[in-house]
Structure formats: C-alpha cells, structure tokens
Amino acid sequence: MESGSPPPTFAAVIHKAVQLLGASESPPDKWISKEIGNRLIVATLVASVTFSAGIALPSGYNLSSDPDPGVPSMLHSRGFQVFVIFNGFATYSSILSVLTLLQAHNADLRKAKKYLKLAGYLLSTAIIFLTVAFSASLILAVSKLKWLKIFCLCFGVYWALAIYMYSSEWLFQGDMQSHN
C-alpha cells in the first residue's frame, strides 16, 4: 500500500485474500458480518430492557395525592439508588455498543475488528451492570425478609461474577484470536 493512499475497503481485502488462498471456506467478512449482526441484536435488546426498566421503576411513583407526586416512591432507598445508577450505566453502555456496531458494519476489515472489540467491551459491561441493577431490584422487592434479602445479594454477586467471567471470554478473547 502506498503512503497517502486510503486503506483498502473491506470487500477488496476479502476478495484479494480469497484469490491468494484459493479458499472455498467462509471468508472472514462473512464471519465478522455475522458477529456484528449477532452482537447488534443482543446490544439492542439490552438497551431496550434497561431503558424500559428505567421508565417503569421498581416500586413505581408517588401518586398525585402524595406529598411529592410523580417522584419515585423508593427514591431515598440505597437499593433503589444502586438500581438507578447501574441501570443507567447499562443503558448508556449498550447504546454506545449499538452505535459502535453500526459503525463496524460500514468499516473496512481492520477497523471493523477494532470496533467489534470495543463493542464487545461495552456490551459485556452493559450485561454486568444489568445484572447488578436486576439484583438491586430483587433486593428491593424482598427487603422486608432479611434472609431472602441476603440470599438475593449473594445470588446476585455470584451470577454477576459468573457472567463477567463468561462474557469476557466470549466477547474479548475467544472470537478475536481465532479469526485474526
């Protein structure tokens, strides 16, 4: 490639690779396009769920007859505050993942891989934050029963760690190493 010339397009790189290798297998462009599409579906679902949860808050809102109508009824509860913070992080992280994947869809191969890796990080973060937010809402729902509250806390920590370990493997290392 000459200095000053634009990088080759994704399709041109794939076409050249297929010609050089004489490959009849599925070219990397199909793999990366499929991976982008799959992650785009997951990121969109996470964005939709977290957005909906942010509007339909746990425990609802104060009624018009209450002193603060329209204000979330559990506003001063720490569990509610944890829910709001982590649900907000999950929403914004998943939206950024969607935007990054849309950018990857139209990029050349080199940039598409970078966008895919960044989107993987954002999506993994969103899923973990979603797990924490969900755990916080469960704890809010059972807050009157101390044993169940402790169980939900332990259960939530366990699954957040398990999801972190699984998603970091799936979204960071496994797929990128085998297709470089």
Side-chain angles (χ1 to χ4, degrees):
M1 184 168 94
E2 300 171 20
S3 65
S5 65
T9 65
F10 180 69
V13 170
I14 297 307
H15 181 68
K16 186 69 172 175
V18 170
Q19 283 180 333
L20 290 173
L21 297 174
S24 60
E25 293 117 17
S26 176
D29 69 329
K30 290 196 182 201
W31 166 83
I32 204 160
S33 294
K34 185 177 178 183
E35 193 65 27
I36 289 168
N38 289 342
R39 291 186 188 187
L40 190 55
I41 290 168
V42 174
T44 303
L45 286 171
V46 172
S48 299
V49 166
T50 56
F51 181 81
S52 297
I55 292 186
L57 297 170
S59 78
Y61 298 92
N62 290 336
L63 301 173
S64 58
S65 60
D66 292 333
D68 294 319
V71 173
S73 59
M74 301 284 281
L75 183 63
H76 299 290
S77 165
R78 285 192 184 163
F80 179 79
Q81 294 165 0
V82 168
F83 168 81
V84 169
I85 290 167
F86 281 91
N87 190 66
F89 283 147
T91 302
Y92 294 126
S93 187
S94 60
I95 289 170
L96 280 172
S97 181
V98 167
L99 294 174
T100 304
L101 289 165
L102 290 173
Q103 191 74 21
H105 185 66
N106 296 319
D108 61 64
L109 180 59
R110 184 181 53 81
K111 285 184 180 178
K113 284 183 177 182
K114 287 182 180 181
Y115 287 137
L116 189 62
K117 191 169 186 172
L118 175 60
Y121 170 75
L122 292 167
L123 184 54
S124 181
T125 302
I127 291 169
I128 293 163
F129 287 162
L130 175 62
T131 305
V132 174
F134 177 73
S135 296
S137 68
L138 277 180
I139 291 167
L140 269 174
V142 299
S143 62
K144 300 291 182 189
L145 289 174
K146 187 173 183 172
W147 73 268
L148 193 52
K149 183 178 176 180
I150 292 169
F151 175 80
C152 288
L153 176 64
C154 294
F155 193 70
V157 168
Y158 171 80
W159 282 107
L161 290 173
I163 290 168
Y164 169 74
M165 290 170 30
Y166 177 76
S167 68
S168 62
E169 173 65 27
W170 173 64
L171 292 169
F172 294 123
Q173 294 111 16
D175 55 352
M176 294 307 289
Q177 289 176 355
S178 63
H179 293 284
N180 278 337

